[in-house]
Amino acid sequence: MRRLLYLGLALSLASCGPPAAAAGPSAPGQPTAHPTAAATASPGTLRLGDQEALLGPGGMTLRQEIGAVMMVGFIGSLTPAVLEDWRQHQFGGLIVVPINQNAADPTTIRQLIQSVRGVMAHPVLTATNQEGGTVCFQESRVPCLAGARQVGSRGPGAVQSEMTSMSQGLKALGFDIDFAPVADVWDGAHPLMRERSYGQNPQAVAQDVTAAIAGIHAAGLYAAAKHDSAQPLQTEDWIPFRAAIAARVDFVSVPSVDLRMLRADLGYGGIIVSDDLQMGALAPEFPPPGAAVRFLANGGDMVIVSRDIAVADATYDAIHAAVLNGTYPRAQLDASVQKLLSLGLRYMP
């Protein structure tokens, strides 16, 4: 009952908020039907300028929907200017990672998350990376346990136990998403991926990926199966990614090049989130605003701009312009927001 009341409140706030504010996702789960609170005309029958007046899922305005499909981070401490920008754009996700130097200890991490939540008209998804091994958030003081290669050799039980332990620490700080596990099969060549992959045997990797997702879920966080190679998904990677989908992973994180494969070949209908657009995830010829439009128009659901709030603002404007000019159809935006709204409130505070 609490979840139903909370979801109703969130959607009510979204429908009555100011046009320039964006209502973000409620949280992950399984898609269900939500009514559209809006207009009698479909997006395809409206003049482009009338898109602003058309309400989408949950009664959300166009600008609210654009904020909902963006996960944003920034460099340095939270300032009044950054907080005001967040209030205006109502980004659907907050990513806090060590490279941004947002906070030096658990207390300031909690304060950061609480401050951003304080200007939101909806529950915002807060995320970080804690895989273990070489990828941990040291400032969080969450124990950094063995990485995938080391713990994978001890079997799925150890994988699940360690991921639960780390995820519980993140949950206590206010995080909702751990961007883990890496679901790639190591190709035997790249040393960094040797540490972050569960191995070279696709079936064994699939078992460990399933266990990692179960461990994250047991701690009350959402999981994201990641493809962390610059190369397209290989056929051997399909086995662990299929296992992640079967394990009800909440997000899959890939570059744009893998979108069609995930949808058509693996049959994944859930939420696909981009890699960090500021780390050259798609291609150097696509700066973040253009890369975001490309990713969303090609079938992605949420984009990450992890470092610069000004770049996030420019990306927001580019998505808005793409909807108005038809490059990114409003129906696709609606569908992505619908997935986010339909995820449920399983792990939200």
Side-chain angles (χ1 to χ4, degrees), residues 82-297:
V82 170
L83 196 60
E84 180 58 29
D85 192 287
W86 213 281
R87 187 194 307 274
Q88 291 297 316
H89 291 91
Q90 295 280 299
F91 299 117
L94 166 67
I95 186 163
V96 185
V97 287
I99 193 174
N100 284 353
Q101 300 182 323
N102 298 132
D105 54 58
T107 298
T108 50
I109 292 171
R110 288 191 193 94
Q111 290 172 345
L112 166 65
I113 294 172
Q114 291 169 0
S115 295
V116 171
R117 284 182 171 149
V119 301
M120 301 299 292
H122 57 81
V124 60
L125 292 165
T126 57
T128 193
N129 296 320
Q130 181 97 358
E131 300 172 13
T134 60
V135 180
C136 285
F137 192 175
Q138 302 291 351
E139 290 80 2
S140 72
R141 308 293 192 269
V142 173
C144 186
L145 303 179
R149 181 176 69 88
Q150 293 85 1
V151 71
S153 66
R154 305 205 301 267
V159 171
Q160 180 169 343
S161 176
E162 290 204 0
M163 196 59 79
T164 295
S165 179
M166 290 190 291
S167 298
Q168 286 172 336
L170 296 177
K171 180 73 173 180
L173 293 174
F175 287 105
D176 308 303
I177 305 169
D178 184 7
F179 273 108
V182 171
D184 296 326
V185 177
W186 185 46
D187 62 6
H190 296 87
L192 178 61
M193 287 308 299
R194 178 176 183 265
E195 300 300 315
R196 298 176 63 196
S197 167
Y198 288 105
Q200 291 181 273
N201 182 300
Q203 286 75 25
V205 172
Q207 290 180 335
D208 289 339
V209 165
T210 298
I213 292 167
I216 293 169
H217 284 171
L221 290 187
Y222 303 113
K226 295 191 294 190
H227 173 50
D228 269 356
S229 169
Q231 301 300 316
L233 281 169
Q234 305 299 310
T235 53
E236 58 265 27
D237 296 318
W238 293 14
I239 293 174
F241 274 92
R242 280 199 175 104
I245 294 166
R248 295 166 60 89
V249 72
D250 308 287
F251 301 88
V252 174
S253 176
V254 295
S256 185
V257 68
D258 296 309
L259 286 171
R260 187 177 301 277
M261 185 180 295
L262 268 176
R263 297 296 193 205
D265 297 325
L266 299 184
Y268 179 61
I271 293 175
I272 302 179
V273 60
S274 76
D275 204 341
D276 179 11
L277 300 183
Q278 290 202 268
M279 299 294 286
L282 298 181
E285 66 267 26
F286 291 102
V293 171
R294 182 171 181 259
F295 183 85
L296 294 168

Side-chain angles (χ1 to χ4, degrees), residues 4-18:
L4 292 175
L5 290 172
Y6 192 15
L7 183 57
L9 175 60
L11 296 182
S12 296
L13 286 169
S15 64
C16 65

Side-chain angles (χ1 to χ4, degrees), residues 14-49:
S15 64
C16 65
S26 294
Q30 291 300 308
T32 55
H34 279 257
T36 297
T40 57
S42 68
T45 64
L46 290 172
R47 297 193 311 271
L48 291 180

